[in-house]
Amino acid sequence: MYDITLCLPSIFISEWQRIYKDIENNLGPIDSKNHLDIKWELIIVGPTDKDNTLAPKSNWRFIQDYGNPTRCVQIGSTVARGKLFTWLSDDCYIIENSLRFLIEDFISHGNQENEYVVRYLEYGTNGQCGSNADRYWTTGAHGALDKLKGLSRYKIIAPVGILHTNFFKRIGGFDCKFMHINMGCIDLSLRIQNLGYE
């Protein structure tokens, strides 16, 4: 059993080694009494053929699927062996120790029926987006959601989240009708809150 499963819907094989190393550097063994020994697995799901980009290791698997990213993460969740579950994108870079601190906090303080928001930054033509400002992580900060009638502007969203794998499965995981994974993640966050969880 692993402490966490990280699922990577991916089309870019060239990024797998780097992402694996980022996770390994974040969660690998450390010599400190102040940190947990975190056991993790990576599940990569996507349309490409598995190749030898990643050396054979017991903590990663590849599943070939030609569906959208939302469906790929949902498939990964069905075989996840971690107590906790999260997802990444294949163009992500993990800030040093950020993943470790988040997982340690969740293990120490997280409720079995809550979702943590994994904050992130994106870099694009408009510079840096994403934010540490709390408002950014609400439905009201995203224009595409304004078209949805009856949706509160103040609900918390987790475009990337971390939660107990069993809880993710029990509430149905992602609705794969949402081809864009962000919308599936927002839907999941709203369902969690509508069920009375945080």
Side-chain angles (χ1 to χ4, degrees), residues 65-94:
D65 186 75
Y66 291 88
N68 62 60
T70 307
R71 177 173 129 165
C72 289
V73 173
Q74 186 71 6
I75 288 169
S77 75
T78 66
V79 297
R81 296 175 290 180
K83 292 176 194 165
L84 302 177
F85 184 73
T86 191
W87 50 94
L88 307 166
S89 62
D90 60 11
D91 60 352
C92 77
Y93 289 85
I94 302 170

